[in-house]
Amino acid sequence: NAPRNLFKSGQNYQKGSTISPAKPMPAAKGLDIEAVGTINGTPVYEFDLTSISTDEMPWRKPGADINDYFNYGFTEETWKAYCEKQKLLRSEAAGGTAVLPTPVTKIMSSPAPVTQK
């Protein structure tokens, strides 16, 4: 079978060969995926959940589904650990050495296999 021609015959689909200088791109509007998210002006990984009142924590209310507020199986505790780990990794990536104020636990951990001799 011969390949089909998807273009109408006799039509010139290419523009002329004139090349115009590149124009500067206008500033993009919308979401900057490189920017660090903020909560009331505080970077999300620096935001302290204990700084808000219990009334502002709807995931703690009876009947609330925590999955409506935390993604990927996170809980309030594992989110705090994740943020601490992010602060450490970002500090190390910036060339600094950070000491975490609280111990970071594994977010998703499984017991080590036991081997018998």
Side-chain angles (χ1 to χ4, degrees):
N1 289 339
R4 293 181 2 179
N5 185 358
L6 299 177
F7 299 102
K8 294 179 183 178
S9 62
Q11 296 289 327
N12 182 4
Y13 289 100
Q14 296 179 0
K15 292 186 176 184
S17 62
T18 59
I19 299 174
S20 60
K23 296 179 182 177
M25 297 278 300
K29 293 182 181 180
L31 181 65
D32 180 4
I33 61 172
E34 299 296 325
V36 175
T38 60
I39 300 171
N40 297 332
T42 304
V44 69
Y45 299 121
E46 302 288 329
F47 187 78
D48 183 12
L49 286 175
T50 60
S51 69
I52 59 177
S53 70
T54 306
D55 293 339
E56 295 175 300
M57 298 178 180
W59 58 89
R60 289 186 174 181
K61 292 183 180 179
D65 184 0
I66 196 164
N67 294 313
D68 291 340
Y69 304 95
F70 295 94
N71 293 326
Y72 306 109
F74 279 109
T75 64
E76 190 173 338
E77 293 76 30
T78 58
W79 175 253
K80 289 176 189 177
Y82 174 77
C83 289
E84 291 297 323
K85 183 68 173 182
Q86 285 296 315
K87 285 190 266 186
L88 173 68
L89 293 173
R90 289 167 189 265
S91 173
E92 288 175 351
T97 55
V99 177
L100 295 177
T102 58
V104 174
T105 58
K106 289 184 180 177
I107 293 172
M108 299 297 226
S109 63
S110 60
V114 177
T115 56
Q116 295 180 345
K117 294 183 180 180

